[in-house]
Amino acid sequence: MTTQADLYDVLEVSRDATQEEIKRAFRKKAMEFHPDRNKAEDAETRFKEVSAAYEVLSDPEKRSAYDRFGMAGVGGGAQGFAGQDFGGFGDIFDAFFRGTGVRRSGPQRGHDLRAVLTLAFEDAVFGTDHELEFERVEACTDCRGRGQADGKPLETCPECQGSGELRRVQQSLFGQFVNVATCSRCSGEGSVVTDPCPECRGRGTKRVSAKKTVKIPAGIDDGQTLRISGEGDAGHRGGPAGNLYVEVQVDPHERFIREDDNLVLELPVNIAQAALGTEVPIETLEGEPREVRVEPGTQSGRIITLKGLGVPHLRGGGRGDLLVQVNVVTPTKLDEAQRELLEQLAASLGTPGGHEAGLFERLRDAFHG
């Protein structure tokens, strides 16, 4: 960068750029040259330059003075950027991007964990208790989560004197600034481990295998997730534990299909049963026998609803229904007697005043015989 660098050139914007264009340009340049992201030797200098340019061009009064008088209009004299210390502009970056400033010491919440639990169809419908095994981070019992051997208290960081940050006063183009940085010795905690616990090596936590009995509510469905509060990883420095999220996967059933809180069961009947009507025994999901009445003339696909025999509502208050779907099965293999009866039925159905009823009864006997 030359000693006469133009602030607009630093941000790579035109002299009639809008405030929004200037903001976007600064964001891009600051992200590119921030020393935490860019390890090039000139990254810090470039970052300070774009910060200084943004400080002027984002202020309408300073920008107007700069447009008329150059750097002299904003107190920089004729030397532009030459010899100037742009320290302190990290604070501009922090304010602009929000949340990239100094990390403060203190308790931190533990990480959330996720586990997958596979259930039998009946267990998902009626609910159950299931023991789940998983790994998580827990506070070390030997040092009581402090990281110090024998549970001794941590010592105050000698570098930052317990504040977790280091402050440095610097002169810049626009006056005196205080540069605040996270203490590298204690990583912003304000305290340090001087005698590490041999069990957890000073971390204060260790990974262990855990078991938890999970109560599965009746009516839970495939793909739903249970939250178990406080069963995740332990917090840092006394912070609360995270949560355990259990994703439920349900195995399919060989006979029943679930549709929301209803159960669907296919009921195959032959053509004689569908035509004459009949009562067909079924077994509910609970294993209880029931009789289903198939009315005469029932067509394939008809739904017979049995109230209250479906899935319990997850939030309580009753159950869904059992939907029995009739499927009229057309025979694919006929013996000679069955074929003769069907031929007589076909002829009878095509003749007004035929004796269909008697033929259907004979068909029913033939198919059941």
Side-chain angles (χ1 to χ4, degrees):
M1 193 69 64
T2 66
T3 57
Q4 296 297 324
D6 183 82
L7 300 188
Y8 292 95
D9 291 341
V10 171
L11 293 182
E12 294 185 358
V13 295
S14 64
R15 301 191 73 84
D16 58 352
T18 65
Q19 286 297 312
E20 187 59 32
E21 290 173 335
I22 290 173
K23 181 184 292 186
R24 285 199 302 268
F26 170 68
R27 179 187 293 270
K28 179 180 177 181
K29 290 291 184 182
M31 293 292 286
E32 179 182 354
F33 295 117
H34 194 279
D36 290 346
R37 297 171 174 266
N38 191 328
K39 301 305 179 183
E41 292 183 359
D42 64 342
E44 184 175 359
T45 299
R46 299 290 298 276
F47 174 74
K48 292 175 180 178
E49 289 174 350
V50 299
S51 297
Y54 179 72
E55 175 71 7
V56 173
L57 300 183
S58 63
D59 186 313
E61 293 184 4
K62 291 180 180 179
R63 181 179 180 181
S64 177
Y66 175 79
D67 288 343
R68 288 191 294 169
F69 308 109
M71 292 303 298
V74 291
Q79 293 301 311
F81 289 114
Q84 296 294 334
D85 182 359
F86 296 99
F89 284 107
D91 292 343
I92 300 174
F93 181 86
D94 294 342
F96 190 91
F97 290 95
R98 296 182 181 178
T100 59
V102 176
R103 291 187 301 161
R104 304 298 180 184
S105 60
Q108 299 176 19
R109 181 177 177 274
H111 293 115
D112 293 331
L113 299 179
R114 184 169 295 274
V116 177
L117 178 61
T118 301
L119 295 175
F121 191 88
E122 292 88 345
D123 289 340
V125 171
F126 301 119
T128 186
D129 290 338
H130 196 287
E131 187 174 70
L132 183 66
E133 296 186 13
F134 58 100
E135 286 192 348
R136 68 181 175 192
V137 172
E138 293 185 356
C140 177
T141 54
D142 286 27
C143 66
R144 297 191 289 277
R146 294 173 178 171
Q148 287 274 71
D150 300 323
K152 295 182 294 186
L154 298 174
E155 295 189 10
T156 301
C157 175
E159 188 72 19
C160 64
Q161 305 303 315
S163 67
E165 59 188 35
L166 299 176
R167 294 173 175 266
R168 184 175 58 180
V169 178
Q170 294 180 316
Q171 290 296 129
S172 72
L173 176 66
F174 305 108
Q176 192 177 74
F177 287 86
V178 177
N179 185 29
V180 183
T182 301
C183 176
S184 58
R185 175 75 179 274
C186 66
S187 299
E189 297 291 342
S191 56
V192 293
V193 174
T194 55
D195 185 12
C197 168
E199 182 66 22
C200 66
R201 299 181 181 180
R203 292 189 296 267
T205 57
K206 56 183 180 180
R207 184 166 293 278
V208 301
S209 295
K211 292 184 179 180
K212 176 69 177 179
T213 299
V214 180
K215 186 173 183 62
I216 307 298
I220 196 165
D221 203 356
D222 183 72
Q224 292 184 320
T225 300
L226 296 172
R227 184 185 68 181
I228 307 175
S229 299
E231 294 294 337
D233 283 346
H236 183 67
R237 296 288 187 260
N243 299 325
L244 172 63
Y245 291 89
V246 181
E247 180 182 342
V248 173
Q249 295 181 354
V250 182
D251 287 334
H253 197 276
E254 60 181 6
R255 293 186 297 119
F256 292 91
I257 297 174
R258 180 170 176 175
E259 292 184 354
D260 296 327
D261 285 348
N262 296 325
L263 292 176
V264 180
L265 176 66
E266 183 179 296
L267 180 63
V269 298
N270 61 48
I271 55 176
Q273 290 173 312
L276 298 176
T278 185
E279 289 189 355
V280 182
I282 66 166
E283 190 175 273
T284 64
L285 187 62
E286 292 95 326
E288 298 176 355
R290 289 289 180 113
E291 291 284 337
V292 176
R293 175 64 184 170
V294 179
E295 297 296 334
T298 294
Q299 302 298 307
S300 189
R302 180 179 176 182
I303 300 295
I304 301 172
T305 301
L306 301 183
K307 292 288 188 181
L309 293 181
V311 180
H313 299 314
L314 186 60
R315 302 187 182 279
R319 297 174 59 174
D321 301 326
L322 174 57
L323 308 179
V324 181
Q325 181 174 337
V326 178
N327 180 21
V328 180
V329 180
T330 302
T332 57
K333 293 183 180 181
L334 301 172
D335 58 29
E336 187 174 341
Q338 291 170 339
R339 178 178 295 277
E340 182 180 347
L341 287 171
L342 283 174
E343 288 174 349
Q344 292 179 38
L345 176 62
S348 177
L349 289 174
T351 304
H355 302 287
E356 298 92 337
L359 284 171
F360 272 120
E361 290 171 354
R362 291 163 62 190
L363 278 169
R364 178 183 60 195
D365 295 339
F367 282 116
H368 282 286

